[in-house]
Amino acid sequence: MSRIDAKFAQLRAEGRKAFVSYVMAGDPDYETSVAIVKGLPAAGVDIIELGMPFTDPMADGPTIQHAGQRALDGGQTLEKTLQIVRELRKTDNTTPVVMMGYYNPIYSRGVHKFLQDAQDAGIDGLIVVDLPPEEDSELCIPAKDYGINFIRLATPTTDDARLPTVLQNTSGFVYYVSVNGITGSAAANAGTVGPEVARIKAATDLPVIVGFGIRSPEAARDIAGIADGCVIGSAIVSRIGAGDSVPQVLDFVSTLAAGAHSA
């Protein structure tokens, strides 16, 4: 059983929903990023999504784009991103970590070298937004051989004809993008999202986690209440970008986690 599977089994047993937090690796600098990531589990985070900074983040809005640029300007690399996870694993061997980003840095490193390094570092899952199911042989299927879940995005435009293709090699959980557009672009609406989550859950036994457009504890509660959990990224990253201290960031995260866990 993977760490992701074990976490969802634990949450089900406890009758709780998952709170997933996204932060950009290396933002605003490597040392601060390590401190934030290591503090997330104690702040109530069930699964950590760790962004891989990239020069052309086409699915991301300005908040995440700026975070990636800050990280790159500070010298963040894919190797340093893996090192953040290695640092976490020195004290935490149970919290799942999902790396989220784009294929180019992985391809440049070499798929099998990346997967071996990711496995060794303690990475549990991958979300690679620019690799569609038609390209599963590139990374998705090889990742399974290393015991790494490949988590697919479903969106409001993923219709019933497309959904089986999206789900066919997905593992860990399904990430439902609650709004059309880039990260941070609009607010998620539970009334709209609920039927879509139900439609996806009717087609898979995997947990469905909802992200994009969730910015407050109340929104986290509402969205987690109609799914298996929620993801919050831009709202957290904006605090980091505003210069909040590590304790301030983690205090904010704890309020979001409490919201999700109250669903």
Side-chain angles (χ1 to χ4, degrees):
M1 180 180 287
S2 71
R3 288 188 189 93
I4 294 174
D5 294 337
K7 176 58 67 174
F8 280 110
Q10 174 194 341
L11 290 167
R12 282 193 297 271
E14 295 172 354
R16 294 195 301 134
K17 301 300 182 74
F19 178 64
V20 184
S21 69
Y22 171 97
V23 293
M24 179 66 72
D27 177 38
D29 56 66
Y30 176 80
E31 290 78 14
T32 305
S33 185
V34 170
I36 291 171
V37 168
K38 292 181 76 171
L40 290 174
V45 173
D46 298 301
I47 299 173
I48 298 169
E49 272 186 27
L50 188 60
M52 298 181 282
F54 181 51
T55 54
D56 187 22
M58 60 186 178
D60 293 309
T63 298
I64 303 297
Q65 288 184 26
H66 292 155
Q69 196 58 55
R70 287 192 298 268
L72 292 170
D73 289 346
Q76 187 69 15
T77 63
L78 182 54
E79 176 57 33
K80 286 185 175 181
T81 300
L82 291 168
Q83 186 58 35
I84 290 173
V85 183
R86 296 184 191 110
E87 292 296 326
L88 172 70
R89 291 293 176 232
K90 290 179 181 178
T91 56
D92 184 328
N93 198 39
T94 58
T95 303
V97 177
V98 175
M99 289 181 70
M100 184 172 186
Y102 301 85
Y103 186 44
N104 184 278
I106 297 170
Y107 178 81
S108 297
R109 192 179 185 89
V111 166
H112 289 284
K113 175 173 173 49
F114 168 78
L115 289 171
Q116 185 63 66
D117 292 343
Q119 181 191 59
D120 292 345
I123 298 294
D124 303 290
L126 296 172
I127 301 173
V128 182
V129 299
D130 54 349
L131 274 183
E134 288 76 13
E135 305 296 335
D136 274 358
S137 61
E138 285 283 326
L139 182 63
C140 173
I141 292 171
K144 289 187 175 184
D145 293 336
Y146 288 84
I148 296 174
N149 292 130
F150 198 88
I151 296 149
R152 189 79 67 193
L153 302 178
T155 74
T157 60
T158 305
D159 61 18
D160 289 340
R162 179 65 173 168
L163 186 58
T165 302
V166 169
L167 295 173
Q168 64 186 356
N169 289 313
T170 300
S171 59
F173 61 89
V174 179
Y175 187 133
Y176 179 68
V177 177
S178 65
V179 296
N180 287 317
I182 54 177
T183 56
S185 61
N189 181 285
T192 303
V193 171
E196 291 299 298
V197 170
R199 182 171 66 91
I200 296 168
K201 290 182 73 66
T204 180
D205 292 331
L206 292 171
V208 178
I209 303 298
V210 177
F212 285 47
I214 308 167
R215 303 188 182 95
S216 67
E218 295 76 19
R221 178 199 63 218
D222 292 346
I223 295 297
I226 49 89
D228 295 297
C230 68
V231 183
I232 297 182
S234 293
I236 298 168
V237 172
S238 67
R239 296 295 184 103
I240 297 171
D244 281 12
S245 67
V246 172
Q248 287 173 323
V249 171
L250 294 175
D251 283 347
F252 177 61
V253 170
S254 70
T255 68
L256 300 173
H261 291 149
S262 70

